[in-house]
Amino acid sequence: MSRSVNRTLMTVPPRLKRATRPPRGVSPLIADLERAAAEGNTDTEAFWERVERTGTPVVGELDEQGRRTATFLWRGGDELADVILTADRIAAADSYERNRMERIPGTDVWHLTYLMRSDWRASYGVAPVPADGTPAPENALSATTRTRRERALALSDPEDRPAVARWFDALAHVRPDPRAREALDEHHSVVSLPEAPPELRHDPDAPSGTLTRHTLASERLGNTRDVWIHRPAREPVDGTWPVAILLDGRTWHDLPLAPLLDGLIADGTLPPMLTVMVDSLDPATRTRELACHDPFVDFLDTELLPWLAELHPITDDPGRTLIAGQSLGGLTALYAALRLPGCFGRVLSQSGSYWWPNPAVTGGETERMVRLVREADALPERVHLSAGLHEWALLGANGRVHEALLERGRELGLPGDFASFTEYNGGHDKACWRADLPHGLIALTEDHAR
């Protein structure tokens, strides 16, 4: 097997026993509607008018165990064969069946209710599957989802592959919930139960900074990518800009992140800083470059930062230079800081893929970052890790990296709180990362001049 294939397979998560699926709950609202339908009353206009007023999902009262029901809804009739909820995105043989909404007979109400701890947050979509078999538009699946499909089918047992394929076929029909209270992007909505950590919102009256798009060619990597630079309206106190590098930059640019940064910097919650959003190109390139790939780290050090310094007066203080990433990006953010302690002194790692590499490919080695931290001659000044309780493939690994950081930090004389770890009630999810990112940035820059 070639080295390049080996490295690709190293970034496929190990097949760990999956976590328990979200438990089903019972919604009194649906129970009332089912009783009425059973008695012959199938008029749902008043029901849908109520739903339009409250938004979806419909959230129940807090129970004695700190849980609430979240009832997801879709309106449709016989033109639909199924309606699939994608709040639980596990690609497994039973995914399609586990995520099917039920239809109240004789009505246009499709529903599925979860019983969740009341601080749950997740992005979700709804996939109405046509009864006549009409296919989804060509290329309806994103490049990332197509890659996930290929990997899931390759790793599935042969007898399970048709069921896994059916799940991904349904994903091609996903669209946002038209009645959702919160939105994520053009394909997904967001559910945040009342006790979920509050998400910071942008101030529409804050002075806008500038957001510029650049094209940066790398001799080291042999490719060219987009880089977006956000420069806030407020100038830095000493005339030199602190820098925050965000990997998977297109995600944050498209969110968009810039208006939120404008508001947080305007009111002093964040210090004035340049935020540099670095595109990851395509899934194959991302998989290669964001897996402790030394040429990519060299690109950040010898090409990206010098190029940025030609455009803006930036700091050379590692304590004012932050790098952030999610998933493989979170892994790479910490790896870059370990490789270049004189460059990156602050690290924000969300859902870091610290299970890396896959032991099936490396002959047994996994969670390499724990060893790298324990062997490091220097550590970043501050590290903020976060991971979701529903990320069973990496939650434990994140905890072990945190423990290794604290242990090595004590040996190197760092303060006991230099590395923090937050566990949130969610999954491997942009909705959770969006909510957590500002808090991580705040924690890592609290000692910076405002």
Side-chain angles (χ1 to χ4, degrees):
M1 185 178 293
S2 71
R3 183 177 181 273
S4 62
V5 173
N6 271 330
R7 187 165 185 85
T8 297
L9 292 178
M10 285 167 68
T11 58
V12 177
R15 296 185 68 187
L16 303 180
K17 183 179 179 181
R18 75 167 184 234
T20 303
R21 299 277 194 169
R24 298 296 179 93
V26 176
S27 166
L29 183 68
I30 294 299
D32 290 344
L33 201 61
E34 287 177 326
R35 282 192 292 269
E39 295 170 358
N41 181 8
T42 57
D43 183 358
T44 61
E45 286 303 320
F47 170 83
W48 286 114
E49 288 175 5
R50 174 180 175 182
V51 170
E52 291 286 350
R53 290 193 301 271
T54 62
T56 50
V58 178
V59 177
E61 297 296 322
L62 191 68
D63 70 12
E64 295 179 352
Q65 296 176 273
R67 303 172 302 177
R68 293 179 184 269
T69 55
T71 300
F72 298 87
L73 298 163
W74 189 263
R75 189 172 192 176
D78 293 339
E79 76 280 5
L80 300 177
D82 279 308
V83 179
I84 306 299
L85 179 71
T86 63
D88 180 5
R89 299 180 188 176
I90 298 170
D94 66 346
S95 291
Y96 191 97
E97 295 299 326
R98 286 285 308 181
N99 290 275
R100 293 175 85 171
M101 289 189 177
E102 298 179 21
R103 182 183 176 189
I104 298 177
T107 76
D108 56 3
V109 177
W110 298 76
H111 64 95
L112 189 155
T113 299
Y114 286 147
L115 180 62
M116 305 297 290
R117 206 175 78 179
S118 64
D119 57 350
W120 180 49
R121 173 177 279 119
S123 63
Y124 72 97
V126 183
V129 180
D132 62 5
T134 301
E138 187 176 356
N139 294 325
L141 293 179
S142 67
T144 299
T145 304
R146 291 197 299 271
T147 299
R148 286 181 53 224
R149 184 183 191 277
E150 292 172 3
R151 290 180 177 177
L153 290 173
L155 294 172
S156 297
D157 294 327
E159 62 271 19
D160 291 337
R161 287 172 189 162
V164 172
R166 188 185 188 200
W167 164 245
F168 282 100
D169 289 343
L171 294 188
H173 295 280
V174 166
R175 61 191 67 178
D177 181 349
R179 300 171 184 85
R181 286 181 291 274
E182 301 179 65
L184 179 65
D185 54 32
E186 61 179 332
H187 299 293
H188 298 96
S189 305
V190 176
V191 50
S192 298
L193 295 190
E195 285 71 37
E199 185 171 356
L200 299 179
R201 303 291 183 179
H202 79 273
D203 178 1
D205 297 323
S208 297
T210 59
L211 181 66
T212 54
R213 174 182 172 271
H214 306 264
T215 300
L216 180 60
S218 168
E219 292 184 8
R220 188 72 179 88
L221 297 171
N223 55 33
T224 301
R225 71 192 66 225
D226 288 335
V227 178
W228 295 270
I229 302 174
H230 174 261
R231 176 172 176 155
R234 285 183 58 201
E235 296 286 320
V237 174
D238 66 355
T240 59
W241 286 101
V243 175
I245 294 177
L246 272 57
L247 306 178
D248 287 318
R250 185 175 297 276
T251 296
W252 296 110
H253 168 265
D254 293 349
L255 196 59
L257 181 64
L260 177 59
L261 294 174
D262 283 329
L264 296 179
I265 292 172
D267 67 13
T269 302
L270 284 176
M273 60 183 182
L274 291 181
T275 302
V276 184
M277 295 168 269
V278 183
D279 191 17
S280 296
L281 300 178
D282 54 86
T285 302
R286 180 181 185 274
T287 296
R288 180 177 66 254
E289 293 183 349
L290 298 189
C292 301
H293 189 48
D294 288 323
F296 182 77
V297 176
D298 292 339
F299 155 74
L300 296 175
D301 179 31
T302 65
E303 295 183 305
L304 178 70
L305 287 175
W307 167 80
L308 184 64
E310 293 178 357
L311 300 175
H312 302 277
I314 63 171
T315 183
D316 59 1
D317 178 0
R320 299 171 70 212
T321 308
L322 181 153
I323 184 167
Q326 299 74 37
S327 193
L328 286 174
L331 170 75
T332 290
L334 182 53
Y335 181 72
L338 294 181
R339 273 260 339 260
L340 302 169
C343 185
F344 302 112
R346 307 291 167 104
V347 175
L348 173 55
S349 174
Q350 299 178 283
S351 301
S353 297
Y354 295 123
W355 51 262
W356 184 89
N358 189 327
V361 181
T362 58
E365 182 193 13
T366 190
E367 297 189 20
R368 186 178 296 173
M369 185 57 69
V370 171
R371 173 174 61 79
L372 295 178
V373 168
R374 288 173 176 164
E375 295 174 353
D377 294 327
L379 295 177
E381 294 179 13
R382 294 194 182 191
V383 181
H384 175 76
L385 308 175
S386 62
L389 298 177
H390 302 175
E391 297 184 285
W392 71 96
L394 55 76
L395 180 62
N398 272 260
R400 288 184 284 275
V401 168
H402 181 235
E403 291 170 4
L405 284 166
L406 295 179
E407 178 183 336
R408 185 60 178 148
R410 286 192 294 268
E411 295 170 353
L412 295 174
L414 293 174
D417 61 352
F418 91 99
S420 61
F421 179 34
T422 299
E423 296 181 1
Y424 57 82
N425 187 19
H428 205 69
D429 195 325
K430 283 196 295 185
C432 298
W433 300 336
R434 182 181 70 176
D436 177 66
L437 181 80
H439 296 288
L441 294 175
I442 293 166
L444 291 171
T445 62
E446 62 181 359
D447 60 331
H448 290 181
R450 265 40 179 182

